[in-house]
Amino acid sequence: MQLTGIHYDKSSTWNEEQPIMRPDWTLVFVIYGRCVYWVNEKKQVLEKGQWLLVPRETPFYGRSVPTKIHEKFVLQFDAQAAQDIFPLLQQSSYTCRQTGKFDIIADRLRLIHRGWQDKQPYYMALCEAHLQELFVFLQRESDQAATTSTTALLVEQMKGYIQNHYREHVTKDELGSCISRSPNYAASLFRQVTGQTISEFVHVTRIKTAVYMLRHSALTVTEIAEFIGYNDPSYFYRVFRRMTGLVPTELVSDRETIRK
């Protein structure tokens, strides 16, 4: 699987009016808002969390929804080396799905985009490794088919509990009680649907809050770490760097002026 290009769009005026027939496959993933594509003259509205996979040499075009901002990643790749591995790449028609693993898919795309822009030594090998990992998640989810509405509701209940208690130590026992199921069932279901363990999701939620606070609050890094649940600042630094590729002080240095 060879990556040939990736870009990030944030626009309310984006459009590709002329049908495009690319020599490579195209993957679109919307992370905010909505946009519209036509693939082989069939209309497809993409919203947050949906992805569109277009085979090579398939005509398509698209545009923003008027006056509405959307954000998306679009990447192109040569799929020939991976077609025997992933059934998704053996289809002749386009595929459009809603993912239940939004955070993990968006994270891999951000890593690919950052690596493609920075072009550090061996960046291509790293980007393509992330791309193949991304397709493992997409293929697993496709194989499992859509989760039932009941299952999805249970997972949303657990996510909601974590959102309200992420600053604490969240356990599978608590999530089991939250959905009136056994702790092991809750942990297994959560991982199956989201692609993350409970602990991983808690870290993601904490770091998202940290990123916002580092950019927009007047608190120190240590104060923010303690606020979101990390009593050891050095551990917070390690988790933050692992998940974002940055250190907290880099965001503090770019912090907007806080009016006192």
Side-chain angles (χ1 to χ4, degrees), residues 123-255:
Y123 78 95
M124 184 63 78
L126 185 59
C127 287
E128 291 175 355
H130 287 314
L131 176 59
Q132 184 144 329
E133 184 184 23
L134 170 66
F135 264 86
V136 169
F137 290 114
L138 295 180
Q139 189 64 64
R140 283 177 179 173
E141 195 170 35
S142 178
D143 291 346
Q144 292 168 354
T147 56
T148 66
S149 58
T150 300
T151 299
L153 179 60
L154 292 176
V155 173
E156 287 306 311
Q157 285 180 252
M158 289 190 282
K159 284 183 176 181
Y161 182 90
I162 292 173
Q163 292 288 348
N164 291 328
H165 298 273
Y166 70 91
R167 296 169 59 192
E168 307 162 14
H169 177 59
V170 179
T171 68
K172 64 181 181 181
D173 297 85
E174 293 170 337
L175 292 186
S177 297
C178 171
I179 62 172
S180 301
R181 300 291 193 280
S182 73
N184 287 338
Y185 177 84
S188 176
L189 176 64
F190 192 89
R191 184 164 191 168
Q192 175 188 337
V193 174
T194 67
Q196 297 171 293
T197 64
I198 295 167
S199 177
E200 288 169 343
F201 190 82
V202 169
H203 282 308
V204 167
T205 305
R206 288 178 172 181
I207 296 305
K208 281 182 178 179
T209 303
V211 168
Y212 179 84
M213 295 182 72
L214 287 165
R215 286 174 170 162
H216 303 293
S217 79
L219 299 179
T220 66
V221 173
T222 299
E223 289 171 336
I224 291 171
E226 292 177 350
F227 177 82
I228 63 175
Y230 296 109
N231 295 322
D232 181 356
S234 63
Y235 180 60
F236 168 63
Y237 268 78
R238 292 196 299 274
V239 174
F240 192 93
R241 185 161 193 171
R242 185 180 74 243
M243 296 184 65
T244 68
L246 304 170
V247 294
T249 49
E250 291 182 66
L251 298 187
V252 171
S253 64
D254 294 333
R255 176 180 285 179

Side-chain angles (χ1 to χ4, degrees), residues 7-10 28-35 46-51 69-74 98-99 101-110 113 208:
H7 63 271
Y8 164 78
D9 294 325
K10 181 177 181 179
V28 180
F29 185 72
V30 177
I31 61 172
Y32 178 80
R34 64 171 61 177
C35 59
L46 294 184
E47 300 186 344
K48 178 182 175 180
Q50 288 187 301
W51 53 270
I69 292 177
H70 77 278
E71 298 178 43
K72 67 179 183 294
F73 285 103
V74 182
Q98 177 79 36
T99 184
K101 299 178 173 63
F102 178 87
D103 290 324
I104 203 166
I105 300 302
D107 177 63
R108 295 307 181 275
L109 285 166
R110 290 189 184 100
H113 185 250
K208 281 182 178 179

